[in-house]
Amino acid sequence: MEFAELIKTPRVDNVVLHRPFYPAVEGTLCLTGHHLILSSRQDNTEELWLLHSNIDAIDKRFVGPLGTIIIKCKDFRIIQLDIPGMEECLNIASSIEALSTLDSITLMYPFFYRPMFEVIEDGWHSFLPEQEFELYSSATNEWRLSYVNKDFAVCSSYPPIVIVPKSIDDEALRKVATFRHGGRFPVLSYYHKKNGMVIMRSGQPLTGTNGRRCKEDEKLINATLRAGKRGYIIDTRSLNVAQQARAKGGGFEQEAHYPQWRRIHKSIERYHILQESLIKLVEACNDQSHNMDRWLSKLEASNWLTHVKEILTTACLAAQCVDREGASILIHGTEGTDSTLQVTSLAQIILEPRSRTIRGFEALIEREWLQAGHPFQQRCALSAYCNSKQKWESPVFLLFLDCVWQILRQFPCSFEFNENFLIMLFEHAYASQFGTFLGNNESERCKLKLQQKTMSLWSWVNRPSELSQFTNPLFEANNLVIWPSVAPQSLQLWEGIFLRWNRSSKYLDEAYEEMVHIIEYNKELQAKVNILRRQLAELETEGGTQESP
Amino acid sequence: MEHIRTPKVENVRLVDRLASKKAALGTLYLTATHVIFVENVPDTRKETWILHSQISTIEKQATAATGCPLLIRCKNFQLLQLIIPQERDCHDVYISLIRLAKPVKYEELYCFSFNPQLDKEEREQGWMLVNLSEEFERMGIPNNYWQLSDVNRDYRVCDSYPTELYVPKSATAHIIVGSSKFRSRRRFPVLSYYYKDNHASICRSSQPLSGFSARCLEDEQMLQAIRKANPGSDFIYVVDTRPKLNAMANRAAGKGYENEDNYSNIKFQFIGIENIHVMRNSLQKMLEVCELKSPTMSDFLWGLENSGWLKHIKAIMDAGIFIAKAVSEEGASVLVHCSDGWDRTAQVCSVASLLLEPHYRTLKGFMVLIEKDWISFGHKFNHRYGNLDGDPKEISPVIDQFIECVWQLMEQFPCAFEFNERFLIHIQHHIYSCQFGNFLCNSQKERRELKIQERTYSLWAHLWNNRADYMNPLFRADHSQSQGTLHLPTTPCNFMYKFWSGMYNRFEKGLQPRQSVTDYLMAVKEETQQLEEELEGLEERLEKFQKVQLNCTKVKSKQSEPSKHSGFSTSDNSTANTPQDYSGNMKSFPSRSPSQGDEDSALILTQDNLKSSDPDLSANSDQESGVEDLSCRSPSGGECAPSEDSGKDRDSDEAVFLTA
């Protein structure tokens, strides 16, 4: 298929671009297969270079012969293009619409992108499951790698390699898979080295209304318990929702069959409820009215921070069970691909210092989101401006990033990465030149041959030149568990994401620069002092050797 | 002291407000100046001190099986819940505190007994630290247009104004006196701030006694004189900071606002800021939200909105921004008033000055600003902050709102202020503490009569001596943000104004960020300074060494490697914390899970509880609570918060006493 067919008008002159905080710019608008580009005439520099896949929705308006296109992006930015000529405007609008909603993944930009940088380390091989497992296997021999899913036959949303209790063989895993939603049998998510407790995750058990049981399932999760110890099952659904799930063949672990496990129900919302929450929040943030009351009530009505609080609270509870109660836990909701992953990954941020480093966080996303089968393609297809009623879109990953930001705000010195790193991940999850977030699971990614045909986001991010902008200057390794506060007073709207295009960040950016400056100057002096000390010491020993004979 | 019915009660429990099952056992002492609670834990004997003057309300609650609960709310937003075993003791404490918290004579206040061990000379120097005539000199006053007037010598014209007042040169004593008779409480228009760059000024007064039609030639001449003192503009703004309706209602009482027809070349403007009663209720509502035990996000946001607090903060800021723009951009002078010109007028003038003048954004300058716009111009500290027993309807958080406006600005302009959040919090604390004499009484006249300067100490000197604690590490005098006027975005954004948990929940340490960027950067800067000194020393020695090396002189090298980041204790300290009760209202937490009969598991948990709250564990072996400075408080029930450690809070500032 040729993009040219979709591009009705490739180029329009005298287009005026309006953006918040910038003066209007007049220039030439060009459409390519994947980008919308506006370059001003003066010095031929690009003022705007926008991926079509970043476009969430567009509006058109006409005043006489002057057409206006308002482009709403998935990163919440809104820009306006004034295009002379009604026909050009209509052509541009329909071209953008077609190009931003391509059906086929293989037409997406990552399949066409040719990096202009030298690849130092191929990100596709940066976080191999075997390597990740080695980190654990040094501490425990109770777990093993299983290749039971190597052709994705047992569970279509699991990766080929998973970590399971050593005492459970692949045959048992196959049986358990038939008892768990989507074949998602319990697998290891995190091993707490401090006390050997673990976090496992899975899909819901398929107990149905007649209370079906599966001995192998019971055996599998019991295999993770120490003698005489109990574990906790955290169900991310309310008891009510979990009970209702039985009617559709799902359900939850019955006490009678899992006597060594205590079940805790939390209620983390899913799907369209989160999507509606995001839509309302972004709408509130874009409301320019001067009324304080309206802002607070809209913020409240969006429920966004309520979701943040609920997810964070559940993650803290999970971490508390592991670290303070000394108990292993199993976490699941319905499918085990959304709220489950929010909780398992946030619990690791709290418990595990490594996941607060840049590499560690990347590994966490690779393990707990990409490999674990969070359906990025479905969830991030549209963002806050969409009005489609499809039910697969949901800002699950953005909520996770928001929760990480909340913890980062409370522990500003304990993370190796900064806010920009989280914002960058948000952007790339929704629109990217890299293949990392394409597809819904490993199986789909394999079929798409992403490793061969696209570039990994990590190949780009982990270059020293890029890393510098994502590194938190305040970072000091902190080996402790960090317990965030989840009180409403402690949670804030993430301005860096939601008000990013609505307020000037000039003064805040200056403050950040000043902070970097203070710390770098300190390091510089430290280095100088060390050099001089060494010189002096050398001179003194020379002096000494001359003297001594 | 005669008001103390019982000086000591034993076996009192101090309840952790956020985790009601957690309480510290100890002894309660009542002294002439403080309520003191000393915990029984032998090693630490943690003490909580509350100044009587900080006590806002005392509430005796229904007696329970465990004892008689007493709830003490403080003006610095601390909340103390005590459980006293005997009803009789509780009553005695209650009655004593009711009296102690409401002194009837100034001499009962703490500042008259507070003795920081300074000699007379040091005390006098302390009072000289902030000097208003110097401040006007700094602004360039007196000059060709403005002069010092002695019309209020011995407070002959206006007893709530200071003696030294600056007025337009063309305003004769006749005009001033005439104008004063036409203004509420004779508070005639005087200079508050002069903007050197373009001669525009901010003047302040009370409302005119215009009624429905009265006019006063001298008052009109006075405004005329203010306009003439600014050759760059042919009009002045008159800003009435009240809602229009309130101002109109005042006309019926023979007061009111300026009629544009009677005054030549004025532009009259209402900017609606609500009165002290509305503000008092608003704060009350917001504090109720802060006190909620385990609020949901909706409870909190809804309550915050319903209190209207941030709306009022925005109104004050809007007025300040309007005036700052009029002065700096239009070059027009502004006369500001409300009713009496000592509450809203003080707020608005000081916010505008802060926006216009970098000096007021420094540590010293901020003290000067408060001294000028609040203390000297007769803001009624005694009435507003209830230092002495008085009419509760006079109490209102007027200066608290100003202090919050400053914080909101600091959030927007992180590099523009020399001081940090702690500075604001401590000033707020001392406005109520009455530990220093600065904020006593309602006017300069009263303070002079009481001989405050001879009998008490100045807060400004105290803050200045401890200024290292109050510095904003991001401030640089040569930074573009610290120059000139602060420009707020032209499109007013509501989301600019945020809830200040650092103030209103300041005693709930668990709700605050656990690591302080400010403290961290201060430590880095301190180390940087040491490094600079060492570098200089090393360079010198190296040079010397190279010179004398020929002579083989042995210089002993300094062996000690400075421990890296030795000073950055903040981040270490702050990581210490314990989990909150994340299990919500116990519907689902393990040991209270509704699921059937797992008593043994609950038992196991209880044992775990015991184990992890073991002081040994929490002090050392337990990593997360290994550092003692911060304790995290659980926001909810906490019936079985499995392992909350009782943290130990120690605040370095002797005046701010924390409870764990």
Side-chain angles (χ1 to χ4, degrees), chain A residues 262-282:
Chain A
R262 306 295 315 269
R263 213 178 59 247
I264 304 170
H265 288 278
K266 301 296 282 183
S267 69
I268 299 180
E269 294 292 353
R270 318 185 314 141
Y271 300 149
H272 63 280
I273 294 183
L274 300 182
Q275 184 69 11
E276 274 160 25
S277 172
L278 176 67
I279 291 170
K280 280 190 196 158
L281 175 67
V282 171

PDB file of all heavy atoms in Angstrom, chain A residues 262-282:
ATOM      1  N   ARG A 262      -4.917 -16.314  52.612  1.00  0.00           N
ATOM      2  CA  ARG A 262      -5.930 -15.339  52.988  1.00  0.00           C
ATOM      3  C   ARG A 262      -6.184 -14.458  51.787  1.00  0.00           C
ATOM      4  O   ARG A 262      -5.237 -13.997  51.158  1.00  0.00           O
ATOM      5  CB  ARG A 262      -5.436 -14.455  54.131  1.00  0.00           C
ATOM      6  CG  ARG A 262      -4.960 -15.210  55.338  1.00  0.00           C
ATOM      7  CD  ARG A 262      -6.105 -15.962  55.967  1.00  0.00           C
ATOM      8  NE  ARG A 262      -7.304 -15.149  56.071  1.00  0.00           N
ATOM      9  CZ  ARG A 262      -7.599 -14.407  57.118  1.00  0.00           C
ATOM     10  NH1 ARG A 262      -6.821 -14.395  58.161  1.00  0.00           N
ATOM     11  NH2 ARG A 262      -8.701 -13.680  57.137  1.00  0.00           N
ATOM     12  N   ARG A 263      -7.441 -14.232  51.503  1.00  0.00           N
ATOM     13  CA  ARG A 263      -7.754 -13.443  50.324  1.00  0.00           C
ATOM     14  C   ARG A 263      -8.106 -12.017  50.723  1.00  0.00           C
ATOM     15  O   ARG A 263      -8.830 -11.787  51.680  1.00  0.00           O
ATOM     16  CB  ARG A 263      -8.917 -14.095  49.593  1.00  0.00           C
ATOM     17  CG  ARG A 263      -8.876 -13.948  48.084  1.00  0.00           C
ATOM     18  CD  ARG A 263     -10.035 -14.661  47.440  1.00  0.00           C
ATOM     19  NE  ARG A 263     -11.299 -14.157  47.918  1.00  0.00           N
ATOM     20  CZ  ARG A 263     -12.145 -14.866  48.663  1.00  0.00           C
ATOM     21  NH1 ARG A 263     -11.866 -16.116  48.997  1.00  0.00           N
ATOM     22  NH2 ARG A 263     -13.274 -14.321  49.077  1.00  0.00           N
ATOM     23  N   ILE A 264      -7.565 -11.062  49.993  1.00  0.00           N
ATOM     24  CA  ILE A 264      -7.886  -9.656  50.248  1.00  0.00           C
ATOM     25  C   ILE A 264      -8.446  -9.068  48.961  1.00  0.00           C
ATOM     26  O   ILE A 264      -7.835  -9.210  47.901  1.00  0.00           O
ATOM     27  CB  ILE A 264      -6.616  -8.860  50.631  1.00  0.00           C
ATOM     28  CG1 ILE A 264      -5.911  -9.498  51.836  1.00  0.00           C
ATOM     29  CG2 ILE A 264      -6.976  -7.411  50.920  1.00  0.00           C
ATOM     30  CD1 ILE A 264      -4.553  -8.904  52.108  1.00  0.00           C
ATOM     31  N   HIS A 265      -9.583  -8.445  49.054  1.00  0.00           N
ATOM     32  CA  HIS A 265     -10.142  -7.807  47.859  1.00  0.00           C
ATOM     33  C   HIS A 265      -9.900  -6.312  47.894  1.00  0.00           C
ATOM     34  O   HIS A 265     -10.148  -5.655  48.904  1.00  0.00           O
ATOM     35  CB  HIS A 265     -11.652  -8.066  47.779  1.00  0.00           C
ATOM     36  CG  HIS A 265     -11.970  -9.477  47.416  1.00  0.00           C
ATOM     37  ND1 HIS A 265     -11.960  -9.930  46.121  1.00  0.00           N
ATOM     38  CD2 HIS A 265     -12.281 -10.549  48.181  1.00  0.00           C
ATOM     39  CE1 HIS A 265     -12.266 -11.219  46.104  1.00  0.00           C
ATOM     40  NE2 HIS A 265     -12.455 -11.620  47.345  1.00  0.00           N
ATOM     41  N   LYS A 266      -9.394  -5.770  46.822  1.00  0.00           N
ATOM     42  CA  LYS A 266      -9.301  -4.323  46.667  1.00  0.00           C
ATOM     43  C   LYS A 266     -10.129  -3.995  45.436  1.00  0.00           C
ATOM     44  O   LYS A 266     -10.551  -4.910  44.721  1.00  0.00           O
ATOM     45  CB  LYS A 266      -7.847  -3.896  46.442  1.00  0.00           C
ATOM     46  CG  LYS A 266      -6.912  -4.281  47.557  1.00  0.00           C
ATOM     47  CD  LYS A 266      -7.244  -3.608  48.879  1.00  0.00           C
ATOM     48  CE  LYS A 266      -6.790  -2.175  48.934  1.00  0.00           C
ATOM     49  NZ  LYS A 266      -7.067  -1.591  50.278  1.00  0.00           N
ATOM     50  N   SER A 267     -10.383  -2.706  45.193  1.00  0.00           N
ATOM     51  CA  SER A 267     -11.111  -2.488  43.954  1.00  0.00           C
ATOM     52  C   SER A 267     -10.442  -1.426  43.097  1.00  0.00           C
ATOM     53  O   SER A 267     -10.544  -0.241  43.334  1.00  0.00           O
ATOM     54  CB  SER A 267     -12.571  -2.164  44.224  1.00  0.00           C
ATOM     55  OG  SER A 267     -12.686  -0.918  44.811  1.00  0.00           O
ATOM     56  N   ILE A 268      -9.715  -1.946  42.144  1.00  0.00           N
ATOM     57  CA  ILE A 268      -9.055  -1.071  41.174  1.00  0.00           C
ATOM     58  C   ILE A 268      -9.904  -1.079  39.903  1.00  0.00           C
ATOM     59  O   ILE A 268     -10.250  -2.147  39.395  1.00  0.00           O
ATOM     60  CB  ILE A 268      -7.628  -1.571  40.871  1.00  0.00           C
ATOM     61  CG1 ILE A 268      -6.799  -1.560  42.168  1.00  0.00           C
ATOM     62  CG2 ILE A 268      -6.979  -0.734  39.790  1.00  0.00           C
ATOM     63  CD1 ILE A 268      -5.391  -2.039  41.990  1.00  0.00           C
ATOM     64  N   GLU A 269     -10.217   0.102  39.430  1.00  0.00           N
ATOM     65  CA  GLU A 269     -11.093   0.187  38.265  1.00  0.00           C
ATOM     66  C   GLU A 269     -10.350  -0.197  36.998  1.00  0.00           C
ATOM     67  O   GLU A 269      -9.124  -0.180  36.946  1.00  0.00           O
ATOM     68  CB  GLU A 269     -11.668   1.601  38.125  1.00  0.00           C
ATOM     69  CG  GLU A 269     -12.600   1.991  39.254  1.00  0.00           C
ATOM     70  CD  GLU A 269     -13.907   1.202  39.254  1.00  0.00           C
ATOM     71  OE1 GLU A 269     -14.140   0.435  38.289  1.00  0.00           O
ATOM     72  OE2 GLU A 269     -14.680   1.352  40.214  1.00  0.00           O
ATOM     73  N   ARG A 270     -11.150  -0.502  35.967  1.00  0.00           N
ATOM     74  CA  ARG A 270     -10.532  -0.964  34.731  1.00  0.00           C
ATOM     75  C   ARG A 270     -11.187  -0.294  33.523  1.00  0.00           C
ATOM     76  O   ARG A 270     -12.206   0.358  33.620  1.00  0.00           O
ATOM     77  CB  ARG A 270     -10.700  -2.471  34.595  1.00  0.00           C
ATOM     78  CG  ARG A 270     -10.465  -3.199  35.903  1.00  0.00           C
ATOM     79  CD  ARG A 270     -10.507  -4.684  35.759  1.00  0.00           C
ATOM     80  NE  ARG A 270     -11.623  -5.167  34.968  1.00  0.00           N
ATOM     81  CZ  ARG A 270     -11.519  -6.165  34.113  1.00  0.00           C
ATOM     82  NH1 ARG A 270     -10.362  -6.738  33.896  1.00  0.00           N
ATOM     83  NH2 ARG A 270     -12.570  -6.578  33.445  1.00  0.00           N
ATOM     84  N   TYR A 271     -10.523  -0.529  32.370  1.00  0.00           N
ATOM     85  CA  TYR A 271     -11.082  -0.178  31.062  1.00  0.00           C
ATOM     86  C   TYR A 271     -11.700   1.218  30.969  1.00  0.00           C
ATOM     87  O   TYR A 271     -11.108   2.198  31.325  1.00  0.00           O
ATOM     88  CB  TYR A 271     -12.131  -1.205  30.636  1.00  0.00           C
ATOM     89  CG  TYR A 271     -11.634  -2.598  30.515  1.00  0.00           C
ATOM     90  CD1 TYR A 271     -12.464  -3.671  30.779  1.00  0.00           C
ATOM     91  CD2 TYR A 271     -10.311  -2.859  30.124  1.00  0.00           C
ATOM     92  CE1 TYR A 271     -12.014  -4.970  30.663  1.00  0.00           C
ATOM     93  CE2 TYR A 271      -9.871  -4.161  30.005  1.00  0.00           C
ATOM     94  CZ  TYR A 271     -10.721  -5.201  30.277  1.00  0.00           C
ATOM     95  OH  TYR A 271     -10.289  -6.474  30.166  1.00  0.00           O
ATOM     96  N   HIS A 272     -12.995   1.194  30.545  1.00  0.00           N
ATOM     97  CA  HIS A 272     -13.600   2.468  30.168  1.00  0.00           C
ATOM     98  C   HIS A 272     -13.762   3.400  31.360  1.00  0.00           C
ATOM     99  O   HIS A 272     -13.810   4.606  31.194  1.00  0.00           O
ATOM    100  CB  HIS A 272     -14.957   2.217  29.505  1.00  0.00           C
ATOM    101  CG  HIS A 272     -15.950   1.563  30.423  1.00  0.00           C
ATOM    102  ND1 HIS A 272     -15.941   0.220  30.666  1.00  0.00           N
ATOM    103  CD2 HIS A 272     -16.931   2.087  31.176  1.00  0.00           C
ATOM    104  CE1 HIS A 272     -16.908  -0.079  31.526  1.00  0.00           C
ATOM    105  NE2 HIS A 272     -17.526   1.038  31.853  1.00  0.00           N
ATOM    106  N   ILE A 273     -13.820   2.857  32.561  1.00  0.00           N
ATOM    107  CA  ILE A 273     -13.949   3.741  33.716  1.00  0.00           C
ATOM    108  C   ILE A 273     -12.693   4.602  33.851  1.00  0.00           C
ATOM    109  O   ILE A 273     -12.755   5.806  34.091  1.00  0.00           O
ATOM    110  CB  ILE A 273     -14.212   2.914  34.993  1.00  0.00           C
ATOM    111  CG1 ILE A 273     -15.571   2.245  34.847  1.00  0.00           C
ATOM    112  CG2 ILE A 273     -14.134   3.799  36.230  1.00  0.00           C
ATOM    113  CD1 ILE A 273     -16.027   1.462  36.025  1.00  0.00           C
ATOM    114  N   LEU A 274     -11.548   3.984  33.627  1.00  0.00           N
ATOM    115  CA  LEU A 274     -10.302   4.735  33.669  1.00  0.00           C
ATOM    116  C   LEU A 274     -10.215   5.694  32.485  1.00  0.00           C
ATOM    117  O   LEU A 274      -9.751   6.827  32.611  1.00  0.00           O
ATOM    118  CB  LEU A 274      -9.107   3.784  33.651  1.00  0.00           C
ATOM    119  CG  LEU A 274      -9.024   2.781  34.808  1.00  0.00           C
ATOM    120  CD1 LEU A 274      -7.761   1.948  34.680  1.00  0.00           C
ATOM    121  CD2 LEU A 274      -9.044   3.493  36.146  1.00  0.00           C
ATOM    122  N   GLN A 275     -10.652   5.209  31.346  1.00  0.00           N
ATOM    123  CA  GLN A 275     -10.601   6.042  30.142  1.00  0.00           C
ATOM    124  C   GLN A 275     -11.478   7.282  30.310  1.00  0.00           C
ATOM    125  O   GLN A 275     -11.055   8.392  30.009  1.00  0.00           O
ATOM    126  CB  GLN A 275     -11.077   5.204  28.937  1.00  0.00           C
ATOM    127  CG  GLN A 275     -10.982   5.908  27.599  1.00  0.00           C
ATOM    128  CD  GLN A 275      -9.548   6.122  27.145  1.00  0.00           C
ATOM    129  OE1 GLN A 275      -8.619   5.581  27.723  1.00  0.00           O
ATOM    130  NE2 GLN A 275      -9.371   6.936  26.118  1.00  0.00           N
ATOM    131  N   GLU A 276     -12.657   7.095  30.855  1.00  0.00           N
ATOM    132  CA  GLU A 276     -13.545   8.247  31.088  1.00  0.00           C
ATOM    133  C   GLU A 276     -12.934   9.200  32.096  1.00  0.00           C
ATOM    134  O   GLU A 276     -13.040  10.415  31.976  1.00  0.00           O
ATOM    135  CB  GLU A 276     -14.905   7.760  31.605  1.00  0.00           C
ATOM    136  CG  GLU A 276     -15.846   7.382  30.488  1.00  0.00           C
ATOM    137  CD  GLU A 276     -16.979   6.473  30.964  1.00  0.00           C
ATOM    138  OE1 GLU A 276     -17.320   6.523  32.166  1.00  0.00           O
ATOM    139  OE2 GLU A 276     -17.496   5.701  30.128  1.00  0.00           O
ATOM    140  N   SER A 277     -12.291   8.627  33.087  1.00  0.00           N
ATOM    141  CA  SER A 277     -11.629   9.434  34.104  1.00  0.00           C
ATOM    142  C   SER A 277     -10.562  10.322  33.454  1.00  0.00           C
ATOM    143  O   SER A 277     -10.474  11.521  33.722  1.00  0.00           O
ATOM    144  CB  SER A 277     -11.012   8.499  35.140  1.00  0.00           C
ATOM    145  OG  SER A 277     -10.221   9.207  36.035  1.00  0.00           O
ATOM    146  N   LEU A 278      -9.782   9.725  32.564  1.00  0.00           N
ATOM    147  CA  LEU A 278      -8.734  10.487  31.875  1.00  0.00           C
ATOM    148  C   LEU A 278      -9.347  11.591  31.025  1.00  0.00           C
ATOM    149  O   LEU A 278      -8.875  12.733  31.028  1.00  0.00           O
ATOM    150  CB  LEU A 278      -7.911   9.541  30.997  1.00  0.00           C
ATOM    151  CG  LEU A 278      -6.835  10.217  30.139  1.00  0.00           C
ATOM    152  CD1 LEU A 278      -5.735  10.789  31.023  1.00  0.00           C
ATOM    153  CD2 LEU A 278      -6.241   9.249  29.132  1.00  0.00           C
ATOM    154  N   ILE A 279     -10.409  11.259  30.305  1.00  0.00           N
ATOM    155  CA  ILE A 279     -11.052  12.249  29.438  1.00  0.00           C
ATOM    156  C   ILE A 279     -11.527  13.441  30.264  1.00  0.00           C
ATOM    157  O   ILE A 279     -11.286  14.599  29.923  1.00  0.00           O
ATOM    158  CB  ILE A 279     -12.230  11.605  28.666  1.00  0.00           C
ATOM    159  CG1 ILE A 279     -11.671  10.604  27.636  1.00  0.00           C
ATOM    160  CG2 ILE A 279     -13.090  12.654  27.984  1.00  0.00           C
ATOM    161  CD1 ILE A 279     -12.712   9.719  26.972  1.00  0.00           C
ATOM    162  N   LYS A 280     -12.151  13.148  31.410  1.00  0.00           N
ATOM    163  CA  LYS A 280     -12.643  14.230  32.259  1.00  0.00           C
ATOM    164  C   LYS A 280     -11.510  15.056  32.847  1.00  0.00           C
ATOM    165  O   LYS A 280     -11.610  16.279  32.955  1.00  0.00           O
ATOM    166  CB  LYS A 280     -13.465  13.639  33.413  1.00  0.00           C
ATOM    167  CG  LYS A 280     -14.872  13.257  33.024  1.00  0.00           C
ATOM    168  CD  LYS A 280     -15.662  12.912  34.279  1.00  0.00           C
ATOM    169  CE  LYS A 280     -16.935  12.163  33.950  1.00  0.00           C
ATOM    170  NZ  LYS A 280     -17.413  11.406  35.109  1.00  0.00           N
ATOM    171  N   LEU A 281     -10.448  14.358  33.236  1.00  0.00           N
ATOM    172  CA  LEU A 281      -9.329  15.082  33.839  1.00  0.00           C
ATOM    173  C   LEU A 281      -8.703  16.042  32.840  1.00  0.00           C
ATOM    174  O   LEU A 281      -8.458  17.212  33.142  1.00  0.00           O
ATOM    175  CB  LEU A 281      -8.278  14.094  34.347  1.00  0.00           C
ATOM    176  CG  LEU A 281      -7.007  14.757  34.900  1.00  0.00           C
ATOM    177  CD1 LEU A 281      -7.318  15.530  36.172  1.00  0.00           C
ATOM    178  CD2 LEU A 281      -5.918  13.729  35.174  1.00  0.00           C
ATOM    179  N   VAL A 282      -8.454  15.546  31.631  1.00  0.00           N
ATOM    180  CA  VAL A 282      -7.808  16.385  30.635  1.00  0.00           C
ATOM    181  C   VAL A 282      -8.720  17.551  30.254  1.00  0.00           C
ATOM    182  O   VAL A 282      -8.266  18.680  30.054  1.00  0.00           O
ATOM    183  CB  VAL A 282      -7.391  15.542  29.412  1.00  0.00           C
ATOM    184  CG1 VAL A 282      -6.908  16.421  28.269  1.00  0.00           C
ATOM    185  CG2 VAL A 282      -6.304  14.562  29.811  1.00  0.00           C
TER     186      VAL A 282
END
